[in-house]
Amino acid sequence: MADQLTTLSRGIDASAVIHPTAIVADGATIGAGCRIGPYCTVSAEAVLEEGVTLVSHVVIDGDVRLGAGVQAMSFATIGLPPQDLKYKGEPTRVEIGARTIIREHATIHRGSVGGHGLTQVGADCLIMCTAHIGHDCVLDHHVILANNVMLGGHVQIGDTVFVGGGAAIHQFVRIGRQVVVGGMTGVEADVIPFGAVMGDRARLTGLNLIGLKRRGFPRSQINTLRAVYRALFRAPGVFGERLANVEAQYGADPVVQEILTFVRADSHRGLCKARRGVIEDDEAEAG
């Protein structure tokens, strides 16, 4: 989730730099050291925390809060109404965590009353060119969306997830932390934490081994996760039995328990399954 955001007094800090062609509505809160470039527009409800940069032609619409150090590049739009025919102008919001970078032409829509009324992007994320974040999405910290990624409404994405260029995530899909999604992949079902998915219609191809190693997971933990993956998605028997077997054998491990909790949580979309006939994750470090 986004970092806790500080409380600012309404108004424009004297140290903020605002280009004369920018339009900042009365009532907007502009923090110390903010820079608002040519032809940007900022709504009356907007709050820009310390050091926010809007490069040029950026649109901030409605109730939007940008955390300290957020950068939005040319023609990005944040807070426009959701693409939901049921939306009738109800007050909903967008929050962006500190130091997140939003590149050119990216779009982030505010929440809807049919969801929780909030679209939320965590801290230290990178939203690349022309990516779209639909209404009521929740992204945790250090998420990277590559160029042209499309998130339908109500998508949930955990920490340190990478989504490759052109991927499309169906509405209400959940993606656990530290997942890698291959480019041009259509994700229609939930992806377990630490998984790697790819394909025209996403299937698990193994674990995100490179991500696990980069973030310092010990070899013993990685080996446990490999064994759990094989037990859940490669072993014979019905899935419920395999889940119970993993619980009995590995349930004391908190990382394994994270996967089990994710699998057992309520889901709109079901669980992304492993593709048959591909190289096992312990033979090829995809991701």
Side-chain angles (χ1 to χ4, degrees):
M1 302 295 179
D3 290 336
Q4 185 174 358
L5 300 171
T6 58
T7 300
L8 299 175
S9 300
R10 303 299 287 180
I12 300 174
D13 189 277
S15 65
V17 177
I18 301 175
H19 193 275
T21 62
I23 300 173
V24 178
D26 290 341
T29 300
I30 311 298
C34 289
R35 302 183 68 87
I36 300 177
Y39 301 103
C40 295
T41 62
V42 180
S43 61
E45 302 91 345
V47 175
L48 278 58
E49 296 203 358
E50 179 179 354
V52 168
T53 298
L54 310 181
V55 172
S56 73
H57 299 82
V58 176
V59 175
I60 308 296
D61 185 73
D63 190 348
V64 174
R65 189 160 195 137
L66 303 183
V70 165
Q71 300 177 50
M73 305 299 181
S74 302
F75 300 99
T77 62
I78 306 169
L80 288 171
Q83 295 177 135
D84 181 351
L85 293 176
K86 300 183 295 299
Y87 182 73
K88 304 301 179 186
E90 299 90 348
T92 57
R93 300 181 293 130
V94 172
E95 290 184 0
I96 310 294
R99 300 172 301 279
T100 284
I101 298 172
I102 302 163
R103 294 301 304 259
E104 299 90 323
H105 295 276
T107 55
I108 303 174
H109 288 172
R110 62 180 179 257
S112 70
V113 293
H116 45 272
L118 172 65
T119 301
Q120 192 169 30
V121 178
D124 300 296
C125 296
L126 173 57
I127 313 302
M128 294 190 194
C129 297
T130 66
H132 173 68
I133 299 175
H135 59 85
D136 302 290
C137 288
V138 176
L139 282 62
D140 284 346
H141 308 309
H142 302 281
V143 172
I144 298 176
L145 305 183
N147 296 345
N148 302 307
V149 166
M150 298 167 283
L151 305 185
H154 311 274
V155 168
Q156 299 177 38
I157 297 182
D159 287 336
T160 60
V161 167
F162 175 80
V163 183
I169 316 297
H170 197 285
Q171 59 262 40
F172 291 102
V173 160
R174 298 177 302 135
I175 296 179
R177 74 177 173 111
Q178 215 156 299
V179 163
V180 60
V181 177
M184 303 297 291
T185 296
V187 183
E188 299 175 310
D190 299 344
V191 182
I192 60 167
F194 318 110
V197 296
M198 65 182 301
D200 177 45
R201 290 295 182 264
R203 291 293 183 268
L204 282 166
T205 59
L207 297 176
N208 181 13
L209 294 178
I210 291 176
L212 289 167
K213 292 174 181 178
R214 283 176 177 169
R215 291 172 181 88
F217 279 67
R219 181 175 295 275
S220 58
Q221 181 71 80
I222 293 173
N223 287 338
T224 296
L225 288 173
R226 282 171 161 169
V228 166
Y229 177 85
R230 288 193 294 267
L232 284 177
F233 297 104
R234 299 296 184 190
V238 298
F239 188 75
E241 294 173 350
R242 287 178 270 157
L243 194 65
N245 291 338
V246 167
E247 176 77 62
Q249 188 169 0
Y250 302 103
D253 185 314
V255 177
V256 175
Q257 193 57 235
E258 180 179 346
I259 295 175
L260 297 176
T261 299
F262 182 93
V263 169
R264 288 171 172 154
D266 291 338
S267 172
H268 291 270
R269 300 296 307 167
L271 198 64
C272 187
K273 301 300 194 300
R275 176 182 294 164
R276 298 296 179 182
V278 300
I279 298 173
E280 291 284 358
D281 64 281
D282 54 353
E283 297 174 357
E285 297 184 356

